[in-house]
Amino acid sequence: MQHWITLPIMLPLCTGVALIFMARAHLDAKRAVSLISALLSIPVTAVLLIQAGAGEYQVYAVGNWQPPYGIALVLDRFAAMMLMMTSILGLLALLYGIRSDDKGGRNYHALFHFQLMGLQGAFLTGDLFNLFVFFEITLISSYGLLMHGAGPERTRASLHYVILNLAGSALFLIGVGTLYGVLGTLNLADLAIRISEVAPEDAPLVLAAGLILLVVFGLKAAMLPLYFWLPNAYSSASPSVASLFAIMTKLGIYSILRVHGLLFGPEAGVLENAISTWLWPIALLTMIFGAIGVLGARTLKRVVSYLVIVSVGTVLAIVATDDLATWSGGLYYLIHSTFITAALFLLADIISNQRGQAKDYLKPAQPLRQPRLLGSIFFIAAVSVAGLPPLSGFISKASILQASAGSSFAPALWLILLAAGLITLVSMSRAGSTIFWSHSDDSNEGTRRADKTKLGVALLLLLVSPLMTVYGEALLSYCQATAEQLRDTSGYIDAVMPIRLSEEL
Amino acid sequence: MLLSLILLPFIGSLLPLLAAHKGRTVCSWLTAAPPACALLLLLSTAPAVFQGELLTIRWDWIPALGLNIGFRLDGLAFLFALLILAIGLLVILYGHYYLSAKDSHGRFFSLLLLFMGAMMGVVTADNLLLMVVFWELTSLSSFLLIGFWGHRRDARRGARMALTVTGGGGLALLAGVMVIGHIVGSFELSDVLAAGDILREHHLYPVALVLVLLGVFTKSAQFPFHFWLPHAMSAPTPVSAYLHSATMVKAGVFLLARLYPALSGTELWFIMLSLVGLSTMTLGAVVALFKHDLKGLLAYSTISHLGLIVLLFGLDTQLAVVAALFHTVNHATFKASLFMSAGIVDHETGSRDIRLLSGLRHYMPITAALGLIAAAAMAGVPLMNGFLSTEMFLGEAIEQRVLGGWSWLIPAVAVFAKVFSVAYALRFIHSVFFGPKPGPLPKQPHEPPFFMRAPIVILVVLCLAVGMLPALIVGPLLSVAAASTTQTILPQYTLEIWHGFNLPLALSVLAMVLGVFLYSQRHRLFNLWNRLPPLSAPDVFEFILHSILVQGSRRITKLLESGHPQNYLLILFLFTIALAGAALLQLPSLHGGVSMTAIDFPSLAIAMTMIVAALGTAILHRNRLTALLFLSVVGLGVALVFARFSAPDLVLTQLSVEVVSIILLMLILFLLPRQNQRDSSVQRLWRDAVVAGVGGLSLGILTFAILTRPLDSISKFFLAESVSGGGGTNVVNVVLVDFRGFDTFGEITVLAIAAIGIFGLLDGMRLFNPRHLGHHYAKDRHPMLLSVLNMPLLPLALMVSLYIFMRGHNLPGGGFIAGLITAIALILQYLTNGLNWTNERLNDNFHPLVASGVMIAGLTAMGSWFFGMPLLTTAHTHVHLPVLGEIPLATAMVFDLGVYLTVVGATLVILENLGKLKPFTSQPTTEP
């Protein structure tokens, strides 16, 4: 059981390798292997979720080299939560993908699993350079997936994506190099210890490295002014890929919470919360510009892409508050926004397929083949994403508002959060009424009913929202415990570096 | 039981959908059943409620949030629940006849019941947050109801506008409730109502009040948020009768009543409510007179009456609350019946335009009589219910002292508004039902079916009954509702038709007389009105939304997202420089104290070469081949730097990486024009030069600051442990395959992914023939000399790479470098002998090679599990073999073999795919 923690990385890796061997095999064989692996990852991560739920840290020294010298994998509640989300989203996106997306090339399934491996590894690692490695894995496989199926639009968007992210990788190395150059270590816990003891005259260098890393993670998370690549990339990607990518921006957010939360957290001495001061205005502006994008978007997929950016801004703003109670609402929101945007990407694809030439453009077109069904589903999704009751969007919004009530940062956060909600509501009602009510002609010849599996997957993703509402209490208390654990950076440090503990004793 | 009261409509909303195919009648009966049951249930609680009991139920939902499922039934809730269920039933009956065969009955009734359930939730919720949940549900379901005829543009626009305004108000309400919850520490109604004094004294009280009132004003269509209501009239008439007269718009009023003990009693409360109420009442009454659309007239009349009710809540007398509730009931009865009458007129004549309609009493005398009575109630004619509550209102308006010295303004404006309300009521009746017979209408008018009229009859009878026997019919209900609203003992009041001659009566009579006069002068007024610029709320709304907000957003988006990666990169770098620069500016001293080594000639020479080569790359980038050569010089410079600082492993790696990447880049250049045609403007060149310069300088400063600081790093551990723990004397290699083997493992995975990614990108790609791009190549594709020389090179190179691989653990070398050397040797074969020749001798499918590399590394890594050790734990030993002597063996070498294979495989996959690219040519080429 002690090696279980490596399974979220090793399982998709082995699957990916097997699938490369099978590159020329029949597609059905690849699908079977791929699906079985994605299914297995659910119990794999569920076990970890249960283990982490007890509140203990699990530290796994790869190569049996103890931290800070070797690479350590660290499991806590937050990591387990992200792992679970990834495996659920991965399975569902894959189920959607096997209905058509995977026909565009030989290595869709291999890339898909490498993508999962990169994400899971990044969530598990406790080492800054190793995080870089997993960033590279996600980057290169996401590039492969983005391009998958080709087409000029897709190729162009993914080229922009990879160019920017390669520059981001270079910056990542500069940031890591700076930290190593000043502090002489790479393990996150050890870095945190050394930052707490850093000489004041060296602190600006550490801060500079922190800010460079903020840029890197911010690029991945798509915060202002680094999100400009996202709408094109996400809206032109194959639907299953776009929906999986709902968690890619969360990787950036995860890294900020993990790295900056630890390095510039309550233990950081002179540098305590040094990053939040920068993050706060950036995050609020991200929300505003994301909302502007939502309002101006011409296609449904772009609306969803900008909703992703709004959600990124929201989570980052909450991160920047450094407020424990608000964080727990923010974590709930993170789960909600991931699944709802993923569902919306799939839904946008299903709708687009029934509108002929008009695709997902927000203009009158032929009536849909299944207007009632899709209309109802869209309505529910819109309600959830706009933060209206009774779905998870409302619960998360209410929880954020409630936690932050009375605090000094509340006015700005509330105003922008609620305004963004209103803009989402307006945009979704415009989009919905145009797509479902406004028709250019009466015939819907040539369109087919939605594929049952695809529809089922979209519904399953959407189902997360009401489930999150029904089990709101349990989930919120998990988020609360997660936030507490995240904020308790000394607990993390002591778990990874027990020697420091004994030294102090 | 309380729960089933709420759940019945929600569950019931499924019935019409399920029964849709069973025909309209079955569908309607099934729709009516749940509210009927709920109504009976409600009435069965009457004895308890009328004795002042408070019925509650409660379950935990999300206690962490303070959100619980709790319902309460007190006098206030009972009053509103009665309105919602009773009028709801009448509307269902009416709707059964109103909807045409084309409309989907199932969908309509389902939405109607959904709305009913949401409304029931609003009025019975015992938790403020839960109330917000239902509040927003009413907005959502009303959106779908207004947009029921979604194929019509006005319906879509009306629905969107209503949702935007009421939904936005709902968000404000949510914020307001959150502030209240923050102050009180609970969302439970009992706690909140008991905390009135705490609330009023808290410094956030004004925030909470304004936010809550925003919710109230938007929902109850108060000025300046009233504009959505008239356009919600594009909904089917049963919807208007239900939502826009009796229920949804009353939700705001209900909230005022509900939170009366908690929020009322302050200067701010009185001022805001009285001013908003007063202006809404007046505006609504005036505009109503000028509306030619029957439903438009009724909509503005509704706005006016809602203003009146809001105003009543803003008066500082206790009786005003009684009057407000009384008028709420009265308005619901007469306005619902008037909407239904208007719907009948529309249904039976095909028109709602007052200018076209006339003398309809000849065709539908009963409807005319019913309309007459209801309109009289609306105008406040004695013997009707409307008279009683407006009298009470006028009485309180005279009594109040809300506006200090300006308090006389309220009764004065009230009379002014009442004049108009008498006039528009007259217009509704006189212009439609009286006068000469109408001109040609879309349909020949006639009486509607008996049961379509039945709801109106019931409502009108109620208007009369309440008007004549108020104390008997509504007295108890009103007192119990008012008592639970104010949570205090009410002062004495009497509900009687006749109060004697007093000031309110005099004012009423005055308003009647003036109203009749005003109506007689209506044509002059219409002329005046027509001179005003026409202003349509949906047009303005859509203009603001679409032309200003949406277009503006598009402009901003377009500005930000140029679609040029150059711009994105520029922003990325500027942003990084700004952030890192801001931090670096805080450095007290750049120099950290470590003394610098003297500059020697080789270092200087290398540095200068690199600078020149880098500049050359940038300057000559348009001549791609030359730029590439310069770039390779930079790479070689890096290798020299490594050599200068004694890092032979890095030198070997850098050199071989450099060779491979330059060759691959050359292959790509073959497909591109030799010259980059587009030239950047001078300004842009300068801009880029400055940014690049500043960026480089910042990085230099950063590096300098780091390098001049003393370092205490974990690398000492690696040096100490390399032999004993890693079994190798080459620390670099031990770090790569052991200490940080997991990183290497990740990186070879990256390489493998890159290989299959590039394969995916290039597989089947057709490109333009690069011949058109102006290249001139040597005719001899595979020079003899090169291939002859190359033949013996391959085994030699393989030998070298084997050697490098084997010694890697102890001396400079290792799997990565060995892999690159092998790859280079194989690349040479491709270059000299061509793709086909080489592929005949090698397998052309390198996927398995790549995969097996990663697999070997992975299996080695996982092998340690079987010894109970963590992933990638290595073991090492020394084996003594005859002849060869002592050979160090480490499991890390197997891992390194995986690295080797992956590197070879990935390079070959990439190369093979680049070389295989088939340029697209329209004509056959004349190649040998």
Side-chain angles (χ1 to χ4, degrees), chain B residues 699-755:
Chain B
L699 195 53
I701 290 171
L702 183 67
T703 316
F704 180 81
I706 295 166
L707 291 181
T708 54
R709 277 164 169 75
L711 178 64
D712 168 33
S713 86
I714 52 170
S715 55
K716 277 180 256 154
F717 173 87
F718 297 143
L719 289 173
E721 288 284 317
S722 180
V723 177
S724 58
T729 53
N730 178 5
V731 186
V732 174
N733 186 268
V734 178
V735 167
L736 279 177
V737 298
D738 197 343
F739 294 122
R740 300 195 64 93
F742 200 46
D743 283 340
T744 312
F745 191 29
E747 287 297 352
I748 61 169
T749 314
V750 171
L751 211 52
I753 303 167

Side-chain angles (χ1 to χ4, degrees), chain B residues 308-496:
Chain B
L308 187 155
I309 299 170
V310 168
L311 171 61
L312 275 168
F313 277 106
L315 300 183
D316 55 355
T317 62
Q318 292 257 322
L319 273 185
V321 174
V322 181
L325 292 176
F326 192 22
H327 197 68
T328 304
V329 179
N330 293 341
H331 177 255
T333 46
F334 66 67
K335 193 51 70 66
S337 72
L338 283 173
F339 266 115
M340 292 181 189
S341 303
I344 288 178
V345 169
D346 185 15
H347 205 255
E348 308 304 342
T349 67
S351 171
R352 295 192 323 229
D353 193 329
I354 301 178
R355 288 166 299 187
L356 296 179
L357 299 168
S358 175
L360 288 184
R361 72 189 156 97
H362 299 293
Y363 305 101
M364 36 177 81
I366 305 174
T367 308
L370 294 170
L372 178 68
I373 300 171
M378 175 164 77
V381 173
L383 296 184
M384 316 285 169
N385 56 359
F387 170 72
L388 296 175
S389 46
T390 40
E391 285 298 280
M392 281 175 90
F393 160 60
L394 285 172
E396 297 312 310
I398 296 163
E399 293 291 311
Q400 54 71 36
R401 288 294 168 265
V402 170
L403 300 180
W406 291 87
S407 295
W408 57 269
L409 201 64
I410 293 181
V413 175
V415 172
F416 176 76
K418 195 162 159 65
V419 170
F420 273 87
S421 99
V422 170
Y424 70 66
L426 259 177
R427 185 166 185 232
F428 183 85
I429 289 305
H430 187 260
S431 296
V432 175
F433 294 104
F434 293 85
K437 288 192 177 181
L441 287 168
K443 284 188 200 168
Q444 177 60 33
H446 58 86
E447 278 286 357
F450 173 77
F451 280 107
M452 187 171 185
R453 222 169 42 211
I456 309 181
V457 174
I458 295 171
L459 289 168
V460 165
V461 167
L462 271 174
C463 286
L464 284 168
V466 171
M468 290 187 233
L469 299 166
L472 187 69
I473 311 264
V474 291
L477 180 61
L478 209 53
S479 70
V480 71
S484 65
T485 302
T486 56
Q487 304 254 306
T488 51
I489 313 288
L490 289 168
Q492 277 298 311
Y493 66 93
T494 48
L495 289 176
E496 284 175 0

Side-chain angles (χ1 to χ4, degrees), chain A residues 2-3 6-7 9-10 13-14 17 20-21 23-24 60-65 68-71 73 106-107 110-111 114 117 127 129-130 132-134 136-137 140-141 147 160 163-164 167 171 174 178 180-186 194 201-202 204-205 207-208 211-212 215 223-228 231 278 282 289 292-293 295-298 302 306 372 379 383 388-390 394-395 397-399 401-402 405-406 414 418 421-422 425-426 429-430 433 437-438 469-470 472-473 476, chain B residues 61-67 104 107 129 132-133 136-137 140 143-144 147 150-151 156 159-160 163-164 167-168 171 174-175 178-179 182 187 204 542 545-546 549-550 553-554 556-557 560-561 563-565 568-569 571-573 575-576 579-580 582-584 586-588 699 702 705-706 709 711-715 717-718 721 725-726 738-740 742-743 745-747 749-750 752-754 756-757 759 761 763 844-845 847-848 851-852 854-855 858 862 865 868-873:
Chain A
Q2 59 152 328
H3 306 298
T6 60
L7 290 184
I9 302 170
M10 298 312 283
L13 174 86
C14 295
V17 170
I20 303 182
F21 275 120
R24 294 186 180 186
Y60 186 90
V62 180
N64 208 20
W65 296 108
Y69 308 110
I71 293 163
L73 302 180
R106 230 179 254 174
N107 292 313
L111 287 169
F114 283 125
M117 172 207 175
D127 186 282
F129 189 80
N130 196 236
F132 168 78
V133 173
F134 281 110
E136 292 300 289
I137 294 178
I140 207 78
S141 46
M147 285 187 316
H160 294 181
I163 288 176
L164 274 175
L171 291 174
I174 293 173
T178 307
Y180 187 80
V182 180
L183 305 168
T185 191
L186 291 170
R194 296 194 187 204
E201 62 266 26
D202 294 344
L205 284 175
L207 181 60
L211 288 170
I212 291 173
V215 173
M223 74 181 188
L224 194 85
L226 310 169
Y227 71 75
F228 305 135
W278 290 92
I282 295 173
F289 280 89
I292 288 175
L295 203 54
R298 286 172 198 274
R302 290 182 74 88
Y306 285 105
R372 288 287 162 74
F379 184 76
V383 164
L388 289 181
F394 174 77
I395 304 293
K397 188 174 289 176
S399 142
L401 293 181
Q402 193 215 22
W414 284 33
L418 293 175
L422 183 59
L425 179 65
V426 171
S429 69
R430 281 173 63 88
S433 60
W437 287 346
S438 184
T469 314
V470 174
E473 178 65 15
L476 268 178
Chain B
W61 181 8
I62 308 182
L65 200 58
L67 174 56
S104 159
R107 187 159 72 97
L129 212 46
V132 175
V133 170
E136 293 285 44
L137 280 182
L140 288 171
F143 169 75
L144 296 176
H151 55 274
R156 290 196 299 272
R160 283 204 300 258
L163 182 66
T164 308
L171 289 173
L174 171 65
M178 282 297 167
V179 178
H182 171 67
F187 294 116
L204 285 175
E542 291 283 322
L545 187 64
H546 194 82
L549 291 177
V550 172
S553 304
R554 282 187 185 156
I556 293 173
T557 306
L560 291 176
E561 285 160 45
H564 299 299
Y568 300 164
L569 276 178
I571 293 168
L572 173 68
F573 289 134
F575 188 57
T576 316
L579 286 188
L584 287 180
Q586 300 167 19
L587 265 182
L699 195 53
L702 183 67
I706 295 166
R709 277 164 169 75
L711 178 64
D712 168 33
S713 86
I714 52 170
S715 55
F717 173 87
F718 297 143
E721 288 284 317
D738 197 343
F739 294 122
R740 300 195 64 93
F742 200 46
D743 283 340
F745 191 29
E747 287 297 352
T749 314
V750 171
I753 303 167
I756 60 170
F759 173 82
L761 176 66
D763 193 26
D844 70 335
N845 180 11
H847 271 64
S852 58
V854 182
M855 189 188 69
M862 290 187 285
W865 287 347
M869 300 303 280
L871 193 72
L872 267 167
T873 308

Side-chain angles (χ1 to χ4, degrees), chain A residues 391-408:
Chain A
L391 298 176
S392 54
F394 174 77
I395 304 293
S396 52
K397 188 174 289 176
S399 142
I400 293 164
L401 293 181
Q402 193 215 22
S404 59
S407 58
S408 56

Side-chain angles (χ1 to χ4, degrees), chain B residues 60-80:
Chain B
D60 279 353
W61 181 8
I62 308 182
L65 200 58
L67 174 56
N68 295 310
I69 300 182
F71 296 102
R72 66 150 60 196
L73 193 64
D74 56 4
L76 181 65
F78 185 88
L79 174 79
F80 275 89

